Amino acid sequence: MNLSESTQYLQSFIKKVPNPEHIPDSELKTIYQLFIDTLTDHNHLYYIEAKPIISDAEYDELFAYLKAMEEYFPTIISSTSPTQGLVGQLSDGFKKAVHQIPLLSLENSYNAEDIREWAVRVAKLAEKKGILNREYHLEPKFDGLSVECIYHDGKLTQAITRGDGKIGEDITANVMMIPSIPKQISYLGTLQVRGEIMMPKSQLLKLNQQRDHSGQTPFSNTRNAAAGSIKLLDSREVAKRGLIAFIYDQLGGEIVDLKSLGMPVFELPENFLVTTDIEQIITWCQDFQIKHFLEEQDFDFDGLVIKVSDSKTPQNTSNCNTSEKSDFSLFDTETPVNSSEDIRSALGSTEHHPRRAIAYKFPAQQVASQIQEITFQVGRTGIITPVAHIEPISLSGATISRVSLHNFDFIAKKQIKKGDFVRVQRSGEVIPYILGSIKERRNGSEELIIPPLFCPECGDPITNIDIHYYCTNPSCPAQIREKITHFVSRDAMDISGIGEAMIEVLVKQKMLNSVADIYHLTTLQNQILLRKFPSFGEKKITELVNQIERSKKQPLWRLLNALGIPHIGKKTAQDVAEYLALHKVTSLDQMISAFSNDGLADVEGIGEKSLQAIQLFMTNPETLKLLRSLEQEGVQFSAINEKTNPESSSHGTFSLTGTFPIARTDLIQQMQKLGYRYEENPTSGTTVMLIGEKPGSKAEKARKFGILIYENRETILKEFHLTIPIKLKDENERIIQGGLF
Ligand SMILES: [Zn+2]
C-alpha cells in the first residue's frame, strides 16, 4: 500500500469502526502499526517537504483515532508512535540544533467545551500549588512555521526550527534574510525567543503566479509556502521570498518587554486581552469581530491562543504592553513585579503540550475531499457549468457537497479528474472553490472530465464558443427556470412567493415559458390552476399575486438587474439607473434609446467592451420581445424619482476598517444613531470612511474613491461625539460609560 492507499484505508476503517474499543484483537496490531507508519509519512511530507497531501482536518482525525486506540489499549503503545513525540520531522539538508528549552506545540481545542475542560484542569492544578488568582490572556495563533531565535549580548546568533520540539534545524543563515527579525537588540546576556515565520497572503499570490508561469506547482497556502521557502538551501533565494516574522514568546530567563526590544509583535485590539472569566474568553474566541480583524490582515491565522497566568505576574508577551493601554494606566490595579510563584513552572507540561496554554482552532478553511460525480448545470444564458460532487466535508462551519468547476478551461489548467482528491477552500461567507487536485493520491482509476455533447436538460446539441459550452435551445427548460429564478430573486424583482422548486414545477407544466409569464399567474384562471398544487393555499396565492402586482412598480435598477443583461449586476444596475434618470427616462422607448447611446460606457463598471455586449443584448429581437411583453403587462420603465437606495439615511453612508478604541458593533450603532448608514465595503458613493489602527485594504480603496476620510483616533471621537465604554480591570469588572473626549 502506498501512502495514499493506506490513508484512504484508515479513513474508511475509522468510519467502519468509529470506536477503537471495538477493533477485533486479530487486527489490532496491524492497524496500530499502519496508523504509525501512515502518520509518520504524513509528518515527513508536512514538516520536511512542506508538501502535505492531506488536509489538517484529515490529519487530526487520524491522529485522534491513534490516540484513542492507545488509551483503550495502553499495552500496545510503541515509542515510535507519533503520539509519543514529534516523529518524522527532521530533514537532512540542515545542521541539527538542540533546543535548550523544548519547543512544545499547543493542545488544540475546537469548541467551548474543550476550553472549559482545560480551565478546570488548570484551576485544579494551580490551586494545588497555591495559585489562587488567575487571569486569561488572548493572543492570535499564527499559521506559519515556529522558530526559536537566540540572542547573545544583543546579537542574533542562532535560529532553529521547531523540529521534534527537542531537536530542530539550524536555519540561522536563512533567518538572517528576514527583514522583520532584528539582528541586533540592546540586551546583555542570553535571550531566547519564539516566533513564527510566515508568508504574507499578497506575497503568496505573486509567488504562485510566477510558479504557475514557470510550470511549478503553486503552494496551497501561506504556511506551506513559508515552510518551503525557509528550507531553501540558498539563502539568497530565501531573501527573494518576502518572508516576515512575529515574535510572541520568551523561553526562560528574566521576563522582558519584547516590543521595546524592537521585536516584531502582533497585537489584538486592546478590548480583547485580559479577563479572569473563562466564559468571557469563550465569547471572544467566537466573536466575529476578532475573526474579521484577523481576516483583514495580510497573513493567516488559524486560531487563537489562550494563556493563563497568575494575575499577580505580568504577562511576558507584549500584548499587554500596548501603547493604547497606557492611556488608561490610571485605572490599572497595581501589579507587583516579582511574584513568588511562577505559573509556568507550577503547571509544567505534558510530553506534548505546556499546560498553561491552549489553542482554539478556527473551523477548517481548507479540506481535502474526493470528487465522486460530475454533473453539468445549465445557466440562464445556456452556459454549461461543470459541478463536482464531493464527499461531504465541513468547512468554516458549513457542509459542502458540491463545488463549481467553473468551465473546462479551469479543469484543464488544474488537471482535475473525476475521482481525484481535491483541496477545497472557503473563507468567511465566500463560495467554496477548488484549489487543485492532489495527484499523489491518484490510484489510476480517475477519469478525464469531458464536455457533454448534448444538453443534460433538453437534449439539444451543445455549442462550443471559446472556453465555454452552451445549450442554444431558447426553449430549454433549464434556461427558462434559471432566468425566472433570477428575475424573482431578492436583489431583482423580489417576488419571494414563488420558490425555486415551484418554478421548476411550473416550467415543466408549461405554465411558465418565459419571464413575462410570471405576470400571467395573476389571472383568475391561473389562480385556480395554482390552487391545485398542495403547496399553494389561498393565503399564499393572494400574497403572491400582491407581490407580482407590486413588482411592476419596482425601482428601475431592480428590473435592470432582473433582466440578466450581460455585465450588469446589482451595483452596476443601480449606477445605470442613475444614468437613465439623468437622461430623464420614463418609458421603455426612452430606455432603449438611452441604451443605444455610447455615453453609457461612462457609467462605473461599464467599459467599452461591456458596452458592446450590453448593446448587443438590448437590440436582440428576443430581448425586445420580452421587454415589450413586460411593458404590456404594466411593468414600469421609469428612472425618474428613483430612490436607488431606499434605506439611505440623512447623513449618507459610512464604512470602516482597522481597530478603534470602541468595539466595532458599538461604533456602528453609534454612527447609525447619528444618521449614517453602514456599508461593509466602501464604494464611490460612500460618504464617510473611518480608518482605525492597522487598517486593511479598504483604507486604500477609500482613498482611491476620494471618500471623506477620518483616521485620527481623537478626530474620529470628537467629530462624531462618540463615547467609549471603558473596561476597568478591577475585581468587579465594572463597565463605566466615559465621555473622555
Ligand atoms: Zn438545453
Side-chain angles (χ1 to χ4, degrees), residues 402-517:
R402 288 154 45 104
V403 190
S404 171
L405 291 170
H406 310 293
N407 54 58
F408 291 91
D409 197 43
F410 177 85
I411 293 173
K413 266 196 190 130
K414 302 261 172 187
Q415 298 175 28
I416 296 168
K417 290 179 168 184
K418 184 179 155 190
D420 261 350
F421 278 88
V422 287
R423 286 196 177 85
V424 186
Q425 178 155 315
R426 175 175 189 254
S427 49
E429 295 308 306
V430 178
I431 296 167
Y433 61 96
I434 289 183
L435 290 165
S437 58
I438 307 170
K439 302 194 180 60
E440 292 84 347
R441 290 180 78 169
R442 283 186 180 159
N443 62 17
S445 70
E446 295 76 17
E447 296 166 28
L448 281 174
I449 300 168
I450 303 162
L453 294 173
F454 302 99
C455 173
E457 301 259 359
C458 70
D460 259 34
I462 294 292
T463 313
N464 174 211
I465 305 168
D466 286 340
I467 57 169
H468 294 297
Y469 291 78
Y470 294 88
C471 164
T472 50
N473 172 10
S475 41
C476 172
Q479 293 179 44
I480 296 170
R481 192 179 67 218
E482 293 304 315
K483 275 184 185 134
I484 294 173
T485 305
H486 176 72
F487 190 85
V488 301
S489 64
R490 209 183 48 183
D491 283 339
M493 296 304 255
D494 196 18
I495 304 171
S496 60
I498 179 164
E500 237 168 284
M502 203 54 217
I503 292 172
E504 184 163 2
V505 172
L506 295 181
V507 169
K508 255 190 204 143
Q509 300 282 330
K510 305 259 180 227
M511 274 178 79
L512 292 176
N513 300 303
S514 83
V515 164
D517 282 350

Side-chain angles (χ1 to χ4, degrees), residues 107-223:
E107 183 182 349
N108 284 331
S109 69
Y110 297 91
N111 52 48
E113 218 28 64
D114 292 345
I115 299 174
R116 283 192 196 105
E117 274 173 24
W118 167 78
V120 169
R121 283 204 308 271
V122 163
K124 269 191 199 155
L125 210 60
E127 270 155 33
K128 234 192 243 170
K129 307 264 175 168
I131 301 171
L132 301 176
N133 300 314
R134 291 170 304 276
E135 58 190 20
Y136 304 99
H137 303 251
L138 205 57
E139 294 172 15
K141 187 171 183 301
F142 302 104
D143 197 8
L145 189 81
S146 263
V147 65
E148 175 184 358
C149 292
I150 304 167
Y151 292 85
H152 284 298
D153 288 337
K155 249 184 89 178
L156 176 63
T157 51
Q158 200 176 25
I160 314 171
T161 64
R162 195 178 91 203
D164 66 2
K166 294 175 189 118
I167 299 173
E169 288 159 321
D170 189 315
I171 51 166
T172 313
N174 286 353
V175 165
M176 288 294 176
M177 299 298 160
I178 301 175
S180 53
I181 295 183
K183 316 298 178 292
Q184 188 83 44
I185 56 172
S186 59
Y187 186 86
L188 281 180
T190 302
L191 179 69
Q192 291 153 279
V193 294
R194 182 171 178 175
E196 197 95 344
I197 296 171
M198 290 185 289
M199 179 171 290
K201 293 185 218 168
S202 52
Q203 179 64 23
L204 176 70
L205 216 64
K206 273 190 250 165
L207 181 63
N208 274 349
Q209 273 168 4
Q210 289 168 12
R211 289 175 76 87
D212 243 349
H213 274 297
S214 57
Q216 290 168 288
T217 321
F219 288 110
S220 58
N221 56 44
T222 55
R223 185 190 53 215

Side-chain angles (χ1 to χ4, degrees), residues 388-408:
H389 296 245
I390 56 170
E391 173 94 7
I393 47 172
S394 174
L395 206 52
S396 288
T399 302
I400 316 282
S401 58
R402 288 154 45 104
V403 190
S404 171
L405 291 170
H406 310 293
N407 54 58
F408 291 91

Side-chain angles (χ1 to χ4, degrees), residues 531-596:
R531 228 163 275 164
K532 291 188 180 152
F533 294 103
S535 57
F536 270 112
E538 191 68 40
K539 232 174 116 190
K540 263 191 101 176
I541 292 177
T542 315
E543 175 61 18
L544 175 63
V545 170
N546 285 340
Q547 283 178 356
I548 292 172
E549 285 304 326
R550 233 182 296 142
S551 78
K552 292 179 182 171
K553 294 190 174 65
Q554 285 283 27
L556 189 56
W557 71 264
R558 287 185 168 275
L559 179 61
L560 292 172
N561 188 25
L563 290 171
I565 306 167
H567 306 286
I568 295 190
K570 179 184 172 188
K571 176 72 183 66
T572 314
Q574 291 176 350
D575 293 340
V576 171
E578 272 173 30
Y579 164 86
L580 295 177
L582 280 178
H583 286 71
K584 307 212 172 3
V585 167
T586 54
S587 69
L588 175 57
D589 287 311
Q590 287 169 345
M591 185 177 108
I592 291 170
S593 107
F595 264 97
S596 66

Side-chain angles (χ1 to χ4, degrees), residues 305-370:
V305 176
I306 305 152
K307 281 184 181 167
V308 63
S309 74
D310 177 349
S311 59
K312 278 181 284 177
T313 317
Q315 184 75 354
N316 75 332
T317 61
S318 31
N319 268 353
C320 301
N321 302 320
T322 65
S323 54
E324 293 295 322
K325 225 183 141 206
S326 58
D327 290 355
F328 307 117
S329 58
L330 273 179
F331 303 112
D332 272 346
T333 48
E334 266 184 50
T335 49
V337 175
N338 292 315
S339 164
S340 51
E341 189 80 48
D342 181 357
I343 203 160
R344 275 172 187 247
S345 49
L347 293 178
S349 59
T350 68
E351 180 92 13
H352 257 96
H353 314 296
R355 289 200 184 90
R356 69 180 181 98
I358 189 167
Y360 171 75
K361 296 263 272 191
F362 292 141
Q365 301 206 326
Q366 205 187 94
V367 172
S369 183
Q370 193 173 21

